[in-house]
Amino acid sequence: MATSTIKFCVWFLLIVFVDYGCLTSPESEAQSFFQSGHTNNWAVLVCTSRFWFNYRHVANTLSMYRTVKRLGIPDSQIILMLADDIACNARNPRPATVFNNANQHINVYGDNVEVDYRGYDVTVENFVRVMTGRLPESTTKSKRLQSDDRSNILVYMTGHGGDGFLKFQDAEEISSIELADAFEQMWQKRRYHEILYIIDTCQAASMYHKFYSPNIVAVASSQVGEDSLSHHVDPAIGVYIIDRFTYYLLDFLEKVQPTSQNSLGELFQVCPKSKCISTVGWRTDLFPRDIDKVLITDFFGSVRNVELNVTTISLEKPNRTPKEGITRSKKSQSQLKYAEQFPKYYKEDTKQVSFSLDHVNSVIWRMYLKDR
Amino acid sequence: MAGIHGDESQKDDQSRQQAYAALSIAFICIAIGIPIWWKTTTTYRATLPYGEIADLAKVQTVCEIPVTVVLVSDKGTETQLNSLQQQLDYSLVSDVSGRYSKLSLHYQVRVRNANAREKDVFYLKSTFKDLDSDLRRLHEESDIGSSMVYVLQDHNHLFTSSRAYIGKYRHAFVFGQDMKEAAELAARVVREIHVHEAFVAKIHGTATGVKHTEADVESMRSLRSTQGYELTFTLLNPDPSMVVAKWDIADGIRSYLDPFLKKLAEFAEFKVNSQVLYYMELAVSPKYDEAGQRYVLKSKVLPHLITPVEAKLGSHVSTNPTLNFLVYVPTKYHSPLYILNEKDEPIMSNAFLSPRWGGIMIYNSPETEANQTLPETVEVEMKSVMEVFLSQLRLLIGVPKQKSDSDVIIASPDNTGITDWEFDSIIRARTLENVAMATSTLQSLSQLLGQISNMVIRDDIADQVYSAVEAIEMTHGYLKEANLYRAFHSSKRAIQSSEKAFFDHSLLELLYFPEDQKFAIYIPLFLPISIPVLITLLKAIKWMKAQRQKAKTKSKTE
């Protein structure tokens, strides 16, 4: 008998303590909405080539731009660097458009593309400046990467590359060591929480071999010694219009919505050797989380954490003097009308105009005579 | 015979000339050429205090907090005071003060009896609110950062439901018959509420560069240290043909937000903008709740409300971070609209915030009769809207959220929206954050400049670095003296100078030159010239040696 009562007491106490524990943690409500460790998302999309025959690189970048925008990252948090010489190129049979598919269904250079660095501004220097934040003070807000220690950044680069370097606009190159140093500078100032680095060039894997800063996961379209190939040619336009790796990436991303639960692990497997011909490689040793559990929307979209407002402050209504009420009503009474199209003095007599000209003339004569 | 001699002397002359020419060229090359080349290829690097920066990294930040504990009782004896002091010395010790931690909080406790005027106040007034305001009048110039606790022994009538009351200013009231109990309660009040040690330590840790991967509400909610904030208030009208919402935002800001912004004028610079957006619908369609006769938005769809709106909000010219506050007036078809929490109950404020971004509030227009002329005008009432936004703004700026505790009653702030002790705690947190960030910035800057030898360091960057180092040292000094106001301002200077020096646009390593490439650059320039010079130099030296030999043999034979 005694043991059964003891058992009952123990269970009762346990239940009471468990309930007590649940009640005294108001923070646990907020915790459930904070699923990720980041609060904002940025994207840096760089197309490093120019000239008409590199149409596919521009199409790659613009397609990624569209995807990233569709999944929620606003323009103010996307830095797009393009040479932007394709849409209005004299050789473009469909002017003001850039397509990423031979069926020409989507014009990726649509109505609201905001290019932050265009033309000859796409240089290694500007890229490193954007990443490290060392821009001149006169730079506008839209050209700055204003990330903080809780920002996830997607960096996508495409163009022509080689073993340990990436060619910028046929004039200069960025080496893998410079890129790694730029990321380290960002880490020193905690300018990112996590970075996803995607690169679609020849021998792309060489660019991520030298990274040494934490929280970076990188995927490349080809290994050292391999070339990345393009997908198909559009006979109507006359150039290759999309690269294989990016084509299969976009194919996968089209099905992703802001509420999707697809993981990065799935994204890295979209292009096996049979489809991509080059071997896709990735680097996850610097990344603390398991890529099969990282959501794609952590980098490609912008799903923010929320916290419900449980308590509010109560304020008192201040005493307003009646005088201010009167001035307000006076303002609203004044009628709005169109401004005069021509300035007043223009409409008046031309005599006055000539008078003023004569006046000016006489003043000048007087000044001239004074000098003499 | 003479001809042969003449030839020899001519040859001698020639070789002497050659030798002298070679020697002089070599001399010019070495004595003048090399220094000029060295000087013209060194980068200009102004001196920086590398040693001092390295020392700063090892220094522990000691923050002194003055606490005065006043014993209010009719029969206050010396022994009671002493025992209170002892108990406080034991319990009012910070958790954050290990020898190996970068931050150390230390309390300077002073215990005294209530003086005559204070006793009068306690005799005359009988509610906490009156006591609070009268005592405030007595201590007009309480220092920023200080804390005062009144231990009441006989005033049972005041403490009906709790054992402690935190006032709106810098003092708190604690009930304690027994000195030990009173001391513990006072210590808890000071450490967990007035100072909020855990929060301060977390902010300092994040600023020194602690790596964090998981979500943490406290450190993610507020923006990191900035000079100023841009506040944008937006009114969203989804369907102006049916319901047109209007608000007198200028008046609302003047009446309800200005006192708050004025009080925080030294903390940061605030710029307020407002706008009204039309034809902005929510991306998620709310569900109809039969039971409550209303439309509801479940908590898990809330994250998806923000992103579509964000694109249309516009961004500003200044580089300060923006906090957006939105009011959404639902359409007639989705009215009334409520937000449900996890347990599917509607929350009173009908609002939610997103960390480091801002907040959204849903304003349900009051019920109207059926045959109103369209479009119906809704005048948004500013008081309720501003109350919600002010509470969100406080959290986003960094005022820590207090855990609810049945033992402690915390007075709500007056119209300024922030109590004095909350103001102290954000100033303290910001000071420590600034000083930690400035120190780590300088450290990484000196590391960077040490590693890359061909980066130019201009004089003005060196000036900024020196002034940052000086400001950090001054901040440490002021914090040790418990002068929080001066410490805050010098920490602001420190972080501004260090950020300016670090993010200066001239500090860019433009060209990456590995050692072998340096050879590849210099060899084509110098090798073609140096080979002939060296060969003739060798020849000249050989000739000189030969001459010396000849002179020696001549003197020997003679």
Side-chain angles (χ1 to χ4, degrees):
Chain A
M1 274 303 280
T3 47
S4 61
T5 45
I6 290 172
K7 249 202 242 174
F8 171 76
C9 287
V10 164
W11 274 112
F12 180 73
L13 285 170
L14 258 174
I15 291 169
V16 164
F17 278 130
V18 163
D19 279 352
Y20 187 79
C22 288
L23 284 173
T24 55
S25 49
E27 300 257 309
S28 60
E29 269 185 24
Q31 291 283 358
S32 58
F33 301 128
F34 276 64
Q35 276 150 7
S36 56
H38 69 280
T39 59
N40 52 14
N41 285 79
W42 287 79
V44 179
L45 310 171
V46 184
C47 167
T48 60
S49 13
R50 64 184 302 116
F51 306 131
W52 173 248
F53 48 83
N54 291 322
Y55 189 107
R56 60 192 182 284
H57 298 140
V58 174
N60 286 352
T61 318
L62 284 172
S63 318
M64 292 299 270
Y65 172 76
R66 291 246 162 257
T67 307
V68 146
K69 257 179 92 160
R70 176 178 64 85
L71 290 173
I73 304 186
D75 268 317
S76 52
Q77 292 182 275
I78 303 179
I79 307 257
L80 180 60
M81 302 175 81
L82 283 181
D84 210 9
D85 59 347
I86 299 292
C88 299
N89 197 305
R91 296 161 74 170
N92 193 350
R94 310 260 184 279
T97 61
V98 174
F99 295 108
N100 65 356
N101 203 309
N103 54 27
Q104 295 184 3
H105 280 164
I106 318 169
N107 170 16
V108 287
Y109 196 80
D111 284 335
N112 55 352
V113 170
E114 187 184 297
V115 182
D116 297 302
Y117 287 87
R118 57 157 29 94
Y120 292 106
D121 279 344
V122 181
T123 56
V124 173
E125 181 184 337
N126 279 344
F127 175 68
V128 176
R129 280 191 193 283
V130 162
M131 299 304 271
T132 54
R134 295 209 169 97
L135 290 157
E137 282 191 15
S138 55
T139 318
T140 56
K141 191 167 166 159
S142 61
K143 284 187 167 188
R144 285 180 191 259
L145 180 66
Q146 292 185 306
S147 50
D148 53 28
D149 61 324
R150 292 280 182 180
S151 307
N152 277 7
I153 309 183
L154 167 71
V155 182
Y156 175 83
M157 299 180 87
T158 182
H160 291 289
D163 188 2
F165 67 90
L166 176 57
K167 194 169 72 157
F168 262 71
Q169 300 218 333
D170 231 7
E172 47 183 3
E173 0 176 286
I174 183 168
S175 64
S176 51
I177 299 177
E178 281 178 333
L179 189 60
D181 283 342
F183 283 150
E184 178 62 18
Q185 288 280 293
M186 289 177 77
W187 176 249
Q188 289 286 326
K189 265 315 256 169
R190 299 292 183 274
R191 274 165 68 78
Y192 68 89
H193 179 237
E194 286 169 353
I195 289 186
L196 171 62
Y197 181 72
I198 304 182
I199 177 163
D200 188 356
T201 67
C202 302
Q203 307 196 52
S206 61
M207 288 302 282
Y208 66 58
H209 281 151
K210 293 281 191 333
F211 289 167
Y212 56 96
S213 317
N215 292 3
I216 303 183
V217 55
V219 60
S221 62
S222 55
Q223 299 294 328
V224 174
E226 283 180 350
D227 286 335
S228 268
L229 301 169
S230 42
H231 193 257
H232 63 270
V233 69
D234 184 351
I237 295 183
V239 279
Y240 281 91
I241 53 173
I242 189 103
D243 279 331
R244 280 180 186 257
F245 180 59
T246 309
Y247 176 83
Y248 289 109
L249 270 185
L250 292 169
D251 207 26
F252 181 78
L253 288 169
E254 250 170 53
K255 305 181 198 103
V256 170
Q257 297 301 324
T259 50
S260 304
Q261 301 288 316
N262 302 82
S263 69
L264 270 191
E266 290 171 37
L267 186 72
F268 290 176
Q269 306 283 349
V270 290
C271 204
K273 201 163 157 106
S274 52
K275 287 194 197 155
C276 250
I277 303 177
S278 55
T279 320
V280 170
W282 53 86
R283 181 173 178 181
T284 53
D285 60 318
L286 297 166
F287 198 66
R289 302 195 277 157
D290 179 14
I291 52 166
D292 289 317
K293 300 204 181 69
V294 177
L295 295 177
I296 289 188
T297 51
D298 273 358
F299 290 101
F300 279 88
S302 178
V303 181
R304 290 186 178 271
N305 292 321
V306 297
E307 198 180 332
L308 293 173
N309 254 97
V310 184
T311 52
T312 54
I313 307 241
S314 55
L315 296 169
E316 286 167 9
K317 214 177 164 110
N319 301 328
R320 292 263 115 219
T321 56
K323 193 169 104 175
E324 301 185 30
I326 293 174
T327 47
R328 253 197 69 213
S329 56
K330 251 200 201 156
K331 253 201 229 169
S332 57
Q333 271 169 15
S334 67
Q335 276 278 338
L336 299 173
K337 58 182 199 299
Y338 284 108
E340 288 278 344
Q341 206 178 7
F342 295 103
K344 273 206 175 115
Y345 58 79
Y346 209 72
K347 275 176 142 181
E348 281 170 8
D349 220 342
T350 45
K351 216 188 342 175
Q352 279 202 332
V353 172
S354 55
F355 162 75
S356 57
L357 276 178
D358 286 345
H359 179 71
V360 164
N361 267 335
S362 58
V363 165
I364 293 175
W365 265 112
R366 259 187 270 132
M367 281 168 48
Y368 175 64
L369 291 171
K370 220 176 16 164
D371 280 340
R372 299 188 78 213
Chain B
M1 274 277 265
I4 300 172
H5 252 294
D7 274 339
E8 259 197 41
S9 65
Q10 253 190 1
K11 243 213 269 180
D12 250 351
D13 259 340
Q14 236 184 15
S15 15
R16 198 182 296 137
Q17 272 176 6
Q18 271 183 356
Y20 283 160
L23 281 172
S24 53
I25 288 177
F27 177 74
I28 290 173
C29 275
I30 295 174
I32 301 178
I34 288 187
I36 291 181
W37 168 74
W38 188 258
K39 201 153 179 287
T40 50
T41 52
T42 46
T43 46
Y44 177 71
R45 288 169 80 91
T47 50
L48 287 180
Y50 292 108
E52 282 178 59
I53 294 173
D55 286 338
L56 279 178
K58 301 187 203 113
V59 161
Q60 191 189 51
T61 310
V62 176
C63 186
E64 295 273 341
I65 301 166
V67 179
T68 312
V69 179
V70 181
L71 182 61
V72 180
S73 91
D74 295 328
K75 37 186 172 36
T77 58
E78 245 340 282
T79 44
Q80 275 199 322
L81 275 179
N82 283 344
S83 100
L84 186 58
Q85 174 91 49
Q86 266 184 339
Q87 291 292 338
L88 279 169
D89 284 339
Y90 176 68
S91 42
L92 197 49
V93 169
S94 159
D95 282 337
V96 186
S97 58
R99 206 156 22 117
Y100 301 108
S101 68
K102 283 280 177 78
L103 173 67
S104 163
L105 297 172
H106 185 252
Y107 299 96
Q108 292 171 340
V109 185
R110 198 168 69 94
V111 179
R112 65 175 171 83
N113 262 323
N115 57 30
R117 281 192 297 178
E118 287 169 348
K119 281 203 181 132
D120 280 340
V121 170
F122 277 103
Y123 183 67
L124 291 170
K125 295 295 159 77
S126 57
T127 63
F128 276 129
K129 259 185 144 170
D130 297 333
L131 278 175
D132 217 8
S133 34
D134 280 358
L135 286 169
R136 167 84 168 96
R137 253 179 260 128
L138 279 184
H139 302 280
E140 276 293 344
E141 305 98 33
S142 56
D143 293 324
I144 293 185
S146 62
S147 194
M148 194 176 263
V149 181
Y150 287 93
V151 176
L152 306 177
Q153 287 198 309
D154 316 309
H155 305 252
N156 303 34
H157 57 276
L158 288 170
F159 292 98
T160 46
S161 55
S162 65
R163 288 195 304 143
Y165 177 88
I166 317 285
K168 285 192 289 203
Y169 307 106
R170 293 193 171 93
H171 35 259
F173 305 95
V174 151
F175 180 68
Q177 287 283 0
D178 171 38
M179 286 299 112
K180 184 158 176 298
E181 207 187 294
E184 271 173 20
L185 200 51
R188 211 176 90 191
V189 159
V190 170
R191 280 175 46 196
E192 287 174 24
I193 298 179
H194 274 191
V195 173
H196 212 298
E197 285 180 357
F199 174 71
V200 162
K202 203 185 288 190
I203 296 278
H204 187 259
T206 314
T208 48
V210 165
K211 223 168 79 163
H212 43 63
T213 45
E214 67 287 327
D216 172 44
V217 183
E218 285 289 339
S219 64
M220 277 168 72
R221 194 194 290 128
S222 62
L223 286 157
R224 290 281 67 82
S225 169
T226 63
Q227 265 189 313
Y229 298 90
E230 294 260 340
L231 306 176
T232 307
F233 293 90
T234 312
L235 177 62
L236 299 177
N237 264 318
D239 192 7
S241 55
M242 306 279 283
V243 175
V244 174
K246 284 199 182 27
W247 64 355
D248 189 3
I249 184 73
D251 187 54
I253 290 174
R254 241 197 331 251
S255 324
Y256 302 106
L257 197 63
D258 266 356
F260 180 77
L261 298 181
K262 272 208 199 53
K263 191 158 181 186
L264 291 182
E266 294 198 344
F267 177 72
E269 194 192 308
F270 289 94
K271 272 224 190 74
V272 183
N273 307 296
S274 72
Q275 60 182 346
V276 181
L277 293 180
Y278 296 97
Y279 289 106
M280 276 298 316
E281 289 247 8
L282 287 181
V284 180
S285 25
K287 300 222 171 23
Y288 188 63
D289 175 25
E290 287 291 338
Q293 296 275 313
R294 58 192 178 199
Y295 285 89
V296 292
L297 282 172
K298 286 206 180 324
S299 50
K300 59 179 186 326
V301 307
L302 293 177
H304 304 292
L305 283 181
I306 300 179
T307 28
V309 180
E310 205 179 345
K312 306 281 190 307
L313 287 177
S315 64
H316 304 277
V317 176
S318 103
T319 47
N320 284 336
T322 313
L323 290 172
N324 297 293
F325 296 99
L326 276 62
V327 175
Y328 179 75
V329 178
T331 58
K332 265 200 132 32
Y333 302 118
H334 291 309
S335 232
L337 182 59
Y338 291 96
I339 296 177
L340 302 180
N341 64 8
E342 281 190 319
K343 305 192 192 93
D344 285 347
E345 298 153 10
I347 46 177
M348 243 181 20
S349 56
N350 224 10
F352 64 96
L353 70 80
S354 178
R356 297 196 186 182
W357 183 80
I360 298 188
M361 175 185 177
I362 298 185
Y363 184 86
N364 288 314
S365 42
E367 293 283 333
T368 52
E369 314 99 52
N371 23 348
Q372 270 268 333
T373 53
L374 299 174
E376 182 196 320
T377 315
V378 171
E379 183 74 36
V380 174
E381 196 223 330
M382 290 317 300
K383 178 163 163 338
S384 51
V385 162
M386 277 301 166
E387 279 177 359
V388 169
F389 284 159
L390 193 54
S391 55
Q392 287 179 343
L393 180 60
R394 276 162 45 104
L395 290 174
L396 290 167
I397 279 180
V399 176
K401 217 176 187 176
Q402 298 294 340
K403 285 197 274 279
S404 59
D405 193 342
S406 56
D407 249 358
V408 178
I409 295 182
I410 302 181
S412 46
D414 56 7
N415 253 29
T416 56
I418 186 167
T419 58
D420 278 355
W421 55 269
E422 280 172 341
F423 180 71
D424 284 356
S425 82
I426 55 174
I427 293 264
R428 189 177 294 119
R430 187 53 72 88
T431 307
L432 293 172
E433 191 183 7
N434 284 353
V435 87
M437 267 175 83
T439 314
S440 69
T441 305
L442 286 178
Q443 249 188 300
S444 50
L445 182 63
S446 81
Q447 213 182 0
L448 170 73
L449 293 175
Q451 265 175 349
I452 302 171
S453 50
N454 58 352
M455 209 183 253
V456 177
I457 306 176
R458 290 197 321 260
D459 279 332
D460 55 306
I461 297 177
D463 284 340
Q464 295 287 345
V465 172
Y466 273 107
S467 63
V469 169
E470 197 189 311
I472 293 175
E473 285 168 355
M474 271 171 61
T475 310
H476 281 142
Y478 286 132
L479 281 175
K480 276 210 189 74
E481 287 170 24
N483 191 341
L484 191 58
Y485 181 74
R486 289 256 167 95
F488 174 67
H489 283 284
S490 62
S491 77
K492 248 169 83 158
R493 277 203 312 275
I495 199 170
Q496 276 169 11
S497 309
S498 62
E499 299 269 307
K500 223 168 151 210
F502 189 87
F503 285 118
D504 190 270
H505 67 277
S506 70
L507 291 181
L508 198 69
E509 183 207 351
L510 275 182
L511 301 168
Y512 167 67
F513 274 145
E515 288 304 313
D516 45 348
Q517 286 189 16
K518 278 202 181 112
F519 276 117
I521 291 175
Y522 283 130
I523 285 178
L525 291 173
F526 290 135
L527 207 59
I529 299 177
S530 56
I531 289 182
V533 169
L534 275 174
I535 290 176
T536 42
L537 188 64
L538 285 171
K539 256 179 47 181
I541 291 178
K542 256 196 235 157
W543 175 85
M544 274 179 62
K545 275 203 188 138
Q547 288 288 77
R548 221 175 279 148
Q549 276 289 37
K550 239 201 263 177
K552 243 196 238 166
T553 47
K554 229 197 246 179
S555 58
K556 250 198 213 163
T557 48
E558 276 171 11

